[in-house]
Amino acid sequence: MNSQDNNFNYKIIFAAMAAVIVGILIAFYYSYAQSKNQMIYLEEEKGLLVKDLTLMRAEVDRLSGLNEVNEIELQTSRFRVQQLLDSVGRLNFSITKLKDTRKELRKLELRFDSLKLKNNFLRYNNSLLASKYDETIKQLEELRGRANNMQRTESLLRETNKELTKELRIKSYLKLQDAEGSGFRLRAGRPIKTNKASVIEKLRGCVTILSDASSRGDIKVLYLQFLDPNMAIIEDNANTISVSGNTYSKKVEIVYTGKEISICDAITVPEGSLAEGIYTLNVFEDERLLASTEFQLK
């Protein structure tokens, strides 16, 4: 009886031990499977982290090469990315470590987004500056073109002035002598010479043009200028002649054939308008004074 009981007890003990062993094996199997799955997950996450960090480092290097953002911020970001890469390379498959690394990566991504915004802002400003620079260059080119045109125009004017000056220098002027000024009053329509200022109605100027064999029958223009004792120009019937800024009393046109000739012409003044004193007669050809004389009215 005791032998049978012992055998039965051994069988129970053996069965319990077997059950324990099987339970341990099952638990070990499930633990191993779970650990393997966790390792696979960590390896995948590690690969994703390495990929994200590598891309971020490449972008940081690109911005550094463009010199478009703050160099100190780029160096700090590059150093931190490298630290994370080194940390991921030594990752001991800890879920906690993975979470910390992910958290740090998100911080870097936020900081990097800020850098990209700054970069976009700088690129926009650079674009505006480039546009303004191109516009300034265009305006400078236009100003240079205008300056060149002005220089060409100025040069042309100088040449024209030289030609005109040369022309004036070689121009042949009439030779005059015996200039004479006098006053006349009218009686029954006939002019009577007088030097009494109060009755004079006309002032006459006469001059002799000397002969010139080189003349070929050109039309010559002389200007008579009568000046009162105050050196004011006397008008002809309230009219004067203005040429190139100069004012004259009378214009006289003649056909000069080269022979000596005397010419006379007169201006009309209101009776009683002249005062006593010394009067002057000037005779001009173009703007050159060729003869001058004085006469007295009493």
Side-chain angles (χ1 to χ4, degrees):
M1 186 73 177
N2 290 331
S3 176
Q4 289 180 350
D5 289 339
N6 290 333
N7 289 335
F8 181 74
N9 290 332
Y10 288 146
K11 288 180 179 180
I12 290 174
I13 292 170
F14 180 76
M17 290 179 65
V20 171
I21 292 172
V22 171
I24 291 172
L25 289 174
I26 292 173
F28 178 77
Y29 174 77
Y30 280 112
S31 177
Y32 172 76
Q34 187 178 6
S35 296
K36 187 174 182 180
N37 289 334
Q38 190 177 35
M39 289 177 65
I40 292 173
Y41 169 73
L42 289 174
E43 284 291 347
E44 291 175 352
E45 289 298 315
K46 175 183 175 182
L48 291 175
L49 280 174
V50 171
K51 181 179 178 181
D52 290 342
L53 290 170
T54 302
L55 290 175
M56 184 175 289
R57 183 174 64 181
E59 186 65 15
V60 170
D61 290 339
R62 184 187 72 82
L63 291 177
S64 178
L66 292 175
N67 290 325
E68 291 181 341
V69 295
N70 191 290
E71 183 64 24
I72 296 177
E73 291 183 350
L74 284 174
Q75 292 294 343
T76 302
S77 298
R78 186 186 293 109
F79 177 73
R80 189 62 190 133
V81 170
Q82 189 60 47
Q83 276 188 327
L84 287 177
L85 280 172
D86 295 340
S87 176
V88 171
R90 298 189 300 270
L91 197 59
N92 56 3
F93 302 103
S94 166
I95 294 296
T96 303
K97 185 66 174 178
L98 176 63
K99 289 181 179 179
D100 290 341
T101 305
R102 277 289 183 191
K103 186 177 181 181
E104 187 66 25
L105 178 59
R106 293 295 172 263
K107 290 181 180 179
L108 277 176
E109 286 176 344
L110 291 174
R111 186 171 183 179
F112 186 66
D113 288 341
S114 176
L115 286 175
K116 287 197 292 186
L117 287 175
K118 290 181 180 179
N119 175 55
N120 292 335
F121 179 72
L122 287 173
R123 294 177 73 176
Y124 173 73
N125 284 340
N126 287 339
S127 176
L128 290 179
L129 288 174
S131 178
K132 290 181 179 179
Y133 175 77
D134 292 339
E135 184 178 354
T136 303
I137 291 298
K138 183 178 179 181
Q139 291 177 351
L140 285 174
E141 291 298 329
E142 291 179 355
L143 289 174
R144 288 194 187 100
R146 292 178 184 176
N148 291 335
N149 288 336
M150 291 178 65
Q151 287 178 352
R152 286 194 292 269
T153 303
E154 186 179 356
S155 177
L156 181 61
L157 287 174
R158 286 199 194 99
E159 292 298 324
T160 304
N161 287 337
K162 287 180 181 178
E163 292 296 327
L164 288 174
T165 302
K166 185 177 179 181
E167 246 182 71
L168 289 174
R169 285 176 180 172
I170 63 175
K171 177 178 175 62
S172 176
Y173 289 94
L174 296 173
K175 294 179 177 60
L176 307 182
Q177 68 178 18
D178 299 333
E180 179 185 2
S182 57
F184 288 82
R185 63 185 180 90
L186 298 177
R187 178 180 293 178
R190 294 178 55 196
I192 299 175
K193 188 174 182 180
T194 179
N195 62 356
K196 188 175 181 181
S198 60
V199 298
I200 289 178
E201 299 178 60
K202 288 184 178 292
L203 290 176
R204 188 178 72 173
C206 296
V207 69
T208 299
I209 304 175
L210 300 180
S211 62
D212 183 359
S214 63
S215 179
R216 295 293 183 270
D218 299 328
I219 295 178
K220 299 291 185 177
V221 179
L222 296 178
Y223 295 97
L224 304 182
Q225 185 186 67
F226 290 94
L227 303 178
D228 65 15
N230 297 320
M231 304 308 290
I233 297 174
I234 303 173
E235 299 176 343
D236 177 20
N237 275 329
N239 294 315
T240 56
I241 305 296
S242 294
V243 179
S244 301
N246 297 321
T247 304
Y248 308 106
S249 304
K250 186 81 172 184
K251 176 181 178 181
V252 182
E253 292 186 1
I254 60 172
V255 177
Y256 180 59
T257 60
K259 296 181 180 180
E260 182 175 315
I261 183 175
S262 294
I263 61 168
C264 292
D265 211 326
I267 63 172
T268 301
V269 297
E271 183 179 357
S273 63
L274 300 181
E276 297 180 2
I278 303 298
Y279 286 74
T280 303
L281 168 65
N282 295 323
V283 183
F284 293 82
E285 182 182 3
D286 293 335
E287 299 177 18
R288 176 174 288 192
L289 177 63
L290 300 182
S292 182
T293 186
E294 294 180 346
F295 59 99
Q296 185 175 14
L297 299 180
K298 299 179 180 180

